[in-house]
Amino acid sequence: IRYIYQDNKGPSSARNMGIKNSTGSFIAFLDSDDMWLPTKLSIQMKLMRECSSLGLVSCGIYDINIRGEIVKEFIRRNYFNKECLLKDLIVHNVIVGSSSAALVRKECFNKVGLFDESLRTSEDWDMWLRIVKYYDIRFIEAPLVKLRINPKSKSSPPNVKKVFQSELIMLDKIFIEYAPEAKPSVR
């Protein structure tokens, strides 16, 4: 285990620092208020080893309250084809669980780049869109991560404006990438 310290520059910067300093072939993220179930990595790694075209394997999640009680379950079913996944991912982040649910091949970051440090939220959505252009993505339908729902989290009411601003940046990126002719002009 290596501990790397840096001043708080947001989740993208922290993830990028970890990626740059990693030596393995796979990257898994675990945000400070989230928990992996004991079998998460072994189940995801089995799928990664079976299919070399996979760039990312995600899983279902449980939302838990501050007492650790499950309050909601999110399951994402696999898509029949990449185009259907891309269409849904363009509309909203269908890869639930922040980054804590994802296991990513390190080579993906060499191909698509690192997390966008200008985004304070939605940075994972941006990354998944870039990965799906070149790699397949699969979902383990079982919840393998617990996400603690905290009233002070990024998506809480006082922070909604910041979330909305990042989502607007993301929508702008999506228009530029996928439908530049459809982007409304601002006067």
Side-chain angles (χ1 to χ4, degrees), residues 63-121:
D63 276 352
I64 60 172
N65 61 24
I66 57 173
R67 293 180 301 282
E69 301 162 335
I70 296 170
V71 294
K72 201 171 206 178
E73 177 182 273
F74 293 92
I75 303 239
R76 175 61 57 201
R77 306 270 184 245
N78 278 299
Y79 285 80
F80 292 110
N81 63 53
K82 193 174 185 173
E83 291 74 29
C84 289
L85 171 58
L86 181 59
K87 284 178 185 177
D88 279 0
L89 194 54
I90 285 172
V91 175
H92 62 95
N93 189 358
V94 297
I95 301 173
V96 296
S98 172
S99 295
S100 294
L103 174 68
V104 183
R105 274 188 209 280
K106 187 174 181 183
E107 73 180 57
C108 292
F109 301 110
N110 297 331
K111 184 156 190 100
V112 306
L114 296 173
F115 285 90
D116 182 344
E117 293 187 22
S118 72
L119 296 171
R120 295 299 277 198
T121 65

Side-chain angles (χ1 to χ4, degrees), residues 24-186:
S25 300
F26 300 91
I27 306 286
F29 306 98
L30 181 60
D31 291 343
S32 62
D33 50 354
D34 300 341
M35 294 176 276
W36 290 343
L37 296 182
T39 57
K40 177 196 182 286
L41 289 178
S42 62
I43 291 170
Q44 289 178 313
M45 283 301 301
K46 182 178 185 304
L47 193 54
M48 279 286 203
R49 288 189 177 110
E50 290 172 358
C51 186
S52 62
S53 67
L54 287 176
L56 185 151
V57 174
S58 190
C59 62
I61 63 163
Y62 293 116
D63 276 352
I64 60 172
N65 61 24
I66 57 173
R67 293 180 301 282
E69 301 162 335
I70 296 170
V71 294
K72 201 171 206 178
E73 177 182 273
F74 293 92
I75 303 239
R76 175 61 57 201
R77 306 270 184 245
N78 278 299
Y79 285 80
F80 292 110
N81 63 53
K82 193 174 185 173
E83 291 74 29
C84 289
L85 171 58
L86 181 59
K87 284 178 185 177
D88 279 0
L89 194 54
I90 285 172
V91 175
H92 62 95
N93 189 358
V94 297
I95 301 173
V96 296
S98 172
S99 295
S100 294
L103 174 68
V104 183
R105 274 188 209 280
K106 187 174 181 183
E107 73 180 57
C108 292
F109 301 110
N110 297 331
K111 184 156 190 100
V112 306
L114 296 173
F115 285 90
D116 182 344
E117 293 187 22
S118 72
L119 296 171
R120 295 299 277 198
T121 65
S122 305
E123 73 287 340
D124 53 344
W125 183 21
D126 174 60
M127 179 56 70
W128 311 152
L129 275 166
R130 289 189 275 145
I131 289 173
V132 78
K133 285 172 47 181
Y134 301 100
Y135 297 91
D136 291 331
I137 293 176
R138 294 288 180 268
F139 298 92
I140 304 294
E141 295 180 8
L144 299 173
V145 175
K146 293 181 179 180
L147 270 64
R148 191 174 311 279
I149 304 306
N150 185 332
K152 296 179 182 178
S153 72
K154 289 188 295 188
S155 57
S156 66
N159 296 315
V160 168
K161 185 176 180 182
K162 290 177 187 173
V163 172
F164 184 64
Q165 288 170 333
S166 283
E167 287 181 351
L168 286 176
I169 293 168
M170 273 301 305
L171 290 171
D172 201 41
K173 284 178 139 187
I174 289 168
F175 268 117
I176 290 167
E177 178 71 24
Y178 295 100
E181 69 285 348
K183 186 174 187 240
S185 61
V186 179

